[in-house]
Amino acid sequence: IYWLLKSSFNKEFDEFLETHGVNPNSMTDKWILAVYFINTVFTTVGFGDLDGDNEIERGFCIIIMWVGTGIFATLVNGLQEVAMDLNEKNREKNHYVQKVVQWLRKKNCPAWVEHEVSAWLRFKFDHDKASTERSEVLEVLPPQLQLSMVMHLNGMLLNNSWVFGQLQHAESGRMLQELSLAMRSEIYNAEELIASCDTPCDKLCMIWNGQVSVQVAEQNGHQMKMKEVMLHKGEFFGE
C-alpha cells in the first residue's frame, strides 16, 4: 500500500527513487524500502528519513501510526503478562529452595551437597507444578474429554511401544485411552536405582525423558557376564 501510494500520487517519484538509491526496475529494492518504512513506524523508531510528501501519504501515515501503536501496545502487554507469570513462578520456586538451603547451611552441609539438593528441588518443583496443572485441567473435564486429553498427552508413547502398538482388537483404542488415564509419572535422581531382581513386577515403566541404564545378563560360554544397555525416550522396561 505504501509503495502504491508513493508511486501513484508523488509527482517527484523519480527524484525520490534516486535520493534513496532505489532501482526502479528492482522489485526487491522497492519491497525493502517499503518494509523499512513500515517497520520504523510500527516499532516507534521513526528515523524521519522517509515521510509523507502529500496529503494522501500523510493520511496513510496517520493510519499506520495508530495501527502500529495498537499492535506494539498489544505485544508489550502480552510480553509483560508472560514475564509477570514467570517471575511469580520463579519467586515461588526460589522461596521453596531457599528454605531448604538455609536448613542445609545450619547443618554445615558441604557446598556440593547444597548444589545437588538445590538442582533436584528445582527440577522436582517444576515437575510437581506441571503435574498439578494437568490434574486441575483433567478434574474439570467430563470423562470422555478426559480420555481424549490423556490420549493426546500419552497416547503416542503407548502406540510407539511394541506391547501396545500392534494390538488388533475392536476395543484396543478404548483400552489405550484407559491406560493413558491410569499412567502416573515418577522422577528419579541420576544414578538412582529404579528396580532390581527383587522388585515386584507390578508395572510397566516407559521413559518420558532422559535415559535409563539396564544391566542384562549375557551368556558367554560357561560364564555369565553383565552387559549394560541404554534405554531412551519412548522405550520401556518391566514387560
Side-chain angles (χ1 to χ4, degrees), residues 22-31:
V22 177
N23 183 352
N25 298 319
S26 173
M27 185 59 69
T28 302
D29 286 3
K30 296 176 182 179
W31 270 100

Side-chain angles (χ1 to χ4, degrees), residues 42 62-72:
F42 274 25
I62 291 172
I63 293 173
I64 64 170
M65 284 176 188
W66 281 105
V67 172
T69 301
I71 294 175
F72 188 75

Side-chain angles (χ1 to χ4, degrees), residues 213-232:
S213 171
V214 180
Q215 300 292 328
V216 181
E218 188 177 61
Q219 183 75 35
N220 186 7
H222 298 290
Q223 296 181 339
M224 294 291 293
K225 290 188 176 182
M226 300 304 294
K227 178 182 178 182
E228 184 179 43
V229 179
M230 297 302 296
L231 301 180
H232 304 276

Side-chain angles (χ1 to χ4, degrees), residues 27-40:
M27 185 59 69
T28 302
D29 286 3
K30 296 176 182 179
W31 270 100
I32 291 176
L33 188 66
V35 172
Y36 167 76
F37 170 70
I38 296 299
N39 274 277
T40 60

Side-chain angles (χ1 to χ4, degrees), residues 104-118:
L104 291 174
R105 289 176 179 174
K106 288 180 181 178
K107 301 299 180 180
N108 296 320
C109 291
W112 69 268
V113 173
E114 180 182 319
H115 175 74
E116 292 198 3
V117 169
S118 298

Side-chain angles (χ1 to χ4, degrees), residues 155-167 176 204 206 234-236:
M156 188 61 68
L157 201 62
L158 292 174
N159 283 325
N160 288 339
S161 67
W162 66 266
V163 175
F164 304 111
Q166 304 300 322
L167 290 177
L176 289 179
L204 179 69
M206 310 190 77
E235 297 182 303
F236 55 91

